[in-house]
Amino acid sequence: MTALPLPSAAHHRTPEELAAFLPELHAAPKDSGTLKLIVRRPAVGEREVLDVGRLDPACGMEGDNWADRGSSRSPDGGPHPDMQLNVMSHPMVAFLAGDPALEPLAGDQLYLDLDLSHDNLPAGTRLLFGDPDAPGAVIEVTEQPHAGCKKFVARFGAEAMRFVNGKVGRPLRLRGLNARVVLAGPIHAGDVVTVRRPLT
């Protein structure tokens, strides 16, 4: 378990650097990606980077504090069932952080090398971890938007926030997406992530 370090403002990405990184983001895999990083949040301001995590429909990620977090989007102010997991592009967070030790600062639990865009992963898409014929766990992309907060600005800069939530970044879901667990099971750093889109 580690307390959160803070990157220097001198290392925040400039608009020009962010724009120049877009081709790499557009090149993300579409149908089969990789789980690059698993982060559990046992308490506010704490992160645990895991080699193996366990997902469960009742609690999201075991040992994570999602169930203790209220949401203004829930009728009763409790934890929102469609916001159990925050998923972010690993290439995006790696570029913003500039140092692997700082990547967990983004606050998400799962970081994928995968195209997270609305076009590629419409709500209802399922992501299968491990063997697609016998996955360790399965999550489903939900309608709930994931836009970040002032902590993201403090850690990665105002330009980064404008970029991930701007006219280019929002359709690509560069800040990430929300998901819920539909099949309990283990996940491992390095797992293949297979996309199963809803039938239309």
Side-chain angles (χ1 to χ4, degrees):
M1 186 182 307
T2 58
L4 297 181
L6 288 176
S8 166
H11 299 297
H12 291 171
R13 297 295 184 176
T14 66
E16 293 77 17
E17 289 174 323
L18 291 162
F21 191 64
L22 267 175
E24 184 163 339
L25 297 169
H26 285 304
K30 307 293 184 187
D31 301 315
S32 179
T34 307
L35 174 58
K36 303 293 285 188
L37 182 65
I38 306 169
V39 180
R40 181 164 59 192
R41 311 163 306 184
V44 175
E46 295 180 352
R47 301 286 188 271
E48 291 176 332
V49 176
L50 306 176
D51 292 324
V52 181
R54 183 170 178 83
L55 304 184
D56 188 280
C59 63
M61 180 183 293
E62 290 185 359
D64 186 74
N65 69 353
W66 165 78
D68 299 324
R69 294 178 175 225
S71 172
S72 60
R73 301 181 198 174
S74 296
D76 62 358
H80 199 295
D82 286 346
M83 300 170 67
Q84 285 183 322
L85 297 171
N86 304 138
V87 183
M88 189 175 178
S89 159
H90 185 260
M92 182 77 261
V93 76
F95 180 70
L96 294 177
D99 177 347
L102 300 178
E103 292 171 10
L105 285 171
D108 304 76
Q109 297 115 308
L110 305 180
Y111 298 83
L112 310 184
D113 184 9
L114 183 69
D115 179 353
L116 304 184
S117 69
H118 286 277
D119 286 344
N120 195 53
L121 304 182
T125 296
R126 294 193 169 186
L127 303 179
L128 289 61
F129 293 84
D131 183 347
D133 295 320
V138 179
I139 67 174
E140 183 174 289
V141 177
T142 69
E143 295 275 6
Q144 290 296 322
H146 182 29
C149 63
K150 62 183 180 181
K151 292 179 182 178
F152 188 88
V153 175
R155 293 163 184 167
F156 299 115
E159 293 297 342
M161 178 65 101
R162 279 191 282 270
F163 179 72
V164 299
N165 283 324
K167 63 181 181 179
V168 174
R170 189 173 290 274
L172 295 176
R173 288 200 185 106
L174 296 184
R175 179 59 197 93
L177 58 81
N178 279 299
R180 65 186 185 92
V181 181
V182 295
L183 177 66
I187 56 172
H188 305 78
D191 272 350
V192 172
V193 181
T194 303
V195 174
R196 292 285 185 267
R197 298 177 186 87
L199 297 177
T200 57

